[in-house]
């Protein structure tokens, strides 16, 4: 992960590491091992400039002070991280065995949660050093570790959402017809950065038949009058994510295009209204999907209704059938149903929503009505 870390203090990171260690114990784990990536940034504020083959690993265990095992040449940068005051740095030099240094911190027969993006060579190195240990991915072992946001995180997510909204309000003013998808994608990226994003993760511009592919790779197709155009864009602002989708039309739409757009808008509203504390995540998916299925388009809604967002633009929880995790105030996720008609067009409408004490609150506020562009 790159991008500017959010403005938190050492005590914030200390509290997160303590909570993570407690959660590990409650899950029956001997501790957590966190490699460079979003989990490490969230827990410590530290994002190495470059992730190399040299081992960097945060070790969290109940009843122990947090330790960051780090290459000696990277220790000065690690010491500058905001959360460094809440942990102990243990550096190792080239030519030494980093797995032996880490093994000394671990229960020789323990089961540990390890961040999903840890390199296989590092996990295998730990297993060789401590053959009695076992491991589980953090997504499986503690899927809700980062899911519930505090007030400061919610403020940052709201600001990122507002920046994405400002981007949409500007992009709808520019010409679409006669321009390539790649040109509009570049415009979106520039606008996100203008409104404060340090990292742009995606700028999908899917015109005409390309709109039937939810994750269309932007290409050189020239946008034509009469095209429906799906716009899906986001990234990181002050370390927290944005992600929004709107579908616009170049010139006047047909009756069918309006009907499908209105259907997706109704489904998105139904998904949003299903959000309230205690409701299983799958109910958000069911609510949105039912609207589309009842209208006869169920086979054309081909993805989950939503995903969590925080220090990454995709993370747990997921709004999908089978996910029985109850919604909790402070959770943030997308609600983004769509209809995709192969060879013709697609429609998707997406807001980021946070769970409140009584329901849900949208973090995106641009119009969900059909927008006509030139």
């Amino acid at each position: 992960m790159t991008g500017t870390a959010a403005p938190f203090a050492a005590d914030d990171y200390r509290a997160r590491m303590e909570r993570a260690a407690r959660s590990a114990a409650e899950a029956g784990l001997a501790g957590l091992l966190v490699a460079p990536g979003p989990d490490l940034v969230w827990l410590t504020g530290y994002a190495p400039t470059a992730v190399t083959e040299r081992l960097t690993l945060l070790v969290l265990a109940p009843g122990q002070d947090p330790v960051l095992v780090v290459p000696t040449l990277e220790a000065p940068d690690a010491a500058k991280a905001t959360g460094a005051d809440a942990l102990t740095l243990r550096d190792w030099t080239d030519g030494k065995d980093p797995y032996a240094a880490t093994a000394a911190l671990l229960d020789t027969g323990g089961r540990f949660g390890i961040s999903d993006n840890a390199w296989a060579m590092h996990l295998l190195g730990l297993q060789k050093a401590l053959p009695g240990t076992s491991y589980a991915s953090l997504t499986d072992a503690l899927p809700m570790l980062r899911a519930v946001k505090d007030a400061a995180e919610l403020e940052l997510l709201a600001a990122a959402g507002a920046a994405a909204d400002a981007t949409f309000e500007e992009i709808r003013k520019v010409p679409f017809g006669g321009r390539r998808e790649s040109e509009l994608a570049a415009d979106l990226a520039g606008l996100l950065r203008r409104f404060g994003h340090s990292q742009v993760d995606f700028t999908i511009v899917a015109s005409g038949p390309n709109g039937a592919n939810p994750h269309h790779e932007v290409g050189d197709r020239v946008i034509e009058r009469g095209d429906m155009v799906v716009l899906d864009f986001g990234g990181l602002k002050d370390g927290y994510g944005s992600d929004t989708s709107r579908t616009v039309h170049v010139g006047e739409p047909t009756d069918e295009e309006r009907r499908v757009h209105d259907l997706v808008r109704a489904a998105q509203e139904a998904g949003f209204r299903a959000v309230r504390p205690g409701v299983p995540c799958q109910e958000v998916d069911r609510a949105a999907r039912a609207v589309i299925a009842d209208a006869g388009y169920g086979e054309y809604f081909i993805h989950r209704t939503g995903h969590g967002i925080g220090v990454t633009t995709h993370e747990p929880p997921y709004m999908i059938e089978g996910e029985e995790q109850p919604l909790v105030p402070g959770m943030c996720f997308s609600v983004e149903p769509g209809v995709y008609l192969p060879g013709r067009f697609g429609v998707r409408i997406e807001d980021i929503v946070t769970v409140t004490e009584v329901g849900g609150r949208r973090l995106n506020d641009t119009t969900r009505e059909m927008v006509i562009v030139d």
Side-chain angles (χ1 to χ4, degrees):
M1 171 181 165
T2 59
T4 305
F8 297 104
D11 283 346
D12 296 310
Y13 293 114
R14 180 179 290 106
R16 289 177 184 178
M17 286 188 280
E18 289 174 351
R19 176 156 62 91
R22 287 195 305 271
S23 296
E26 292 165 0
L29 299 171
L32 303 180
L33 306 177
V34 185
D39 292 315
L40 187 64
V41 171
W42 185 77
L43 286 163
T44 69
Y46 177 49
T49 303
V51 179
T52 71
E53 73 285 355
R54 294 183 174 94
L55 178 70
T56 294
L57 203 66
L58 174 68
V59 178
L60 298 177
Q64 298 181 20
D65 290 336
V67 177
L68 182 63
V69 178
V70 63
T72 299
L73 75 170
E74 295 174 12
D77 286 338
K80 295 175 184 176
T82 306
D85 289 344
L87 52 79
T88 299
L89 289 178
R90 180 168 296 187
D91 65 313
W92 62 276
T93 58
D94 285 353
K96 302 295 184 181
D97 184 350
Y99 308 114
T102 306
L105 304 170
L106 306 181
D107 178 345
T108 58
R111 181 170 177 77
F112 295 88
I114 188 165
S115 49
D116 295 25
N117 53 334
W119 286 20
M121 65 179 285
H122 297 321
L123 177 55
L124 293 170
L126 289 171
Q127 288 177 320
K128 184 177 179 180
L130 291 173
T133 55
S134 59
Y135 302 87
S137 75
L138 281 189
T139 291
D140 289 336
L142 293 177
M144 296 297 115
L145 179 64
R146 305 193 319 255
V148 178
K149 276 64 179 179
D150 62 25
E153 290 181 292
L154 291 173
E155 185 176 336
L156 289 165
L157 282 161
D165 283 357
T167 294
F168 178 72
E169 293 296 356
E170 290 299 311
I171 201 71
R172 62 183 288 188
K173 300 174 185 176
V174 309
F176 277 64
R179 301 182 67 202
R180 299 185 186 276
E181 291 176 343
S182 55
E183 294 178 89
L184 266 296
D187 287 348
L188 283 170
L191 288 166
L192 284 169
R193 291 191 177 95
R194 187 209 297 181
F195 292 116
H197 281 61
S198 60
Q199 177 176 317
V200 176
D201 285 347
F202 47 88
T203 53
I204 294 173
V205 179
S207 62
N210 289 339
N213 177 0
H215 281 176
H216 168 65
E217 291 286 340
V218 167
D220 288 332
R221 183 182 186 276
V222 175
I223 300 170
E224 302 173 355
R225 189 165 186 82
D227 278 348
M228 195 84 89
V229 185
V230 179
L231 305 173
D232 184 352
F233 51 92
L236 298 181
K237 180 181 186 296
D238 295 325
Y240 279 75
S242 69
D243 185 2
T244 190
S245 300
R246 293 292 186 263
T247 304
V248 302
H249 198 278
V250 186
E252 285 298 317
T254 65
D255 289 344
E256 182 190 21
E257 287 170 332
R258 280 197 180 276
R259 184 169 65 252
V260 173
H261 190 280
D262 287 346
L263 173 63
V264 173
R265 181 163 56 86
Q268 207 268 349
E269 179 69 16
F272 169 69
R273 296 208 171 274
V275 175
R276 60 185 182 278
V279 169
C281 292
Q282 66 181 2
E283 293 300 330
V284 178
D285 182 84
R286 288 175 176 177
R289 198 169 299 277
V291 173
I292 292 173
D294 289 349
Y297 288 87
E299 67 183 291
Y300 303 112
F301 181 9
I302 56 177
H303 56 72
R304 65 196 174 204
T305 293
H307 58 82
I309 191 169
V311 293
T312 60
T313 48
H314 279 213
E315 62 185 46
Y318 298 103
M319 307 302 113
I320 189 171
E321 181 66 31
E323 179 53 79
E324 297 180 353
Q325 166 68 42
L327 297 180
V328 176
M331 283 182 173
C332 291
F333 48 84
S334 65
V335 178
E336 51 175 308
V339 168
Y340 308 94
L341 303 179
R344 301 181 62 206
F345 65 89
V347 177
R348 182 164 64 258
I349 299 173
E350 173 185 14
D351 294 325
I352 298 302
V353 173
T354 184
V355 184
T356 69
E357 296 295 335
V358 295
R361 175 170 69 95
R362 299 181 193 266
L363 300 187
N364 295 106
D365 266 333
T366 54
T367 183
R368 292 162 205 96
E369 302 284 345
M370 172 80 78
V371 169
I372 307 300
V373 296
D374 292 331

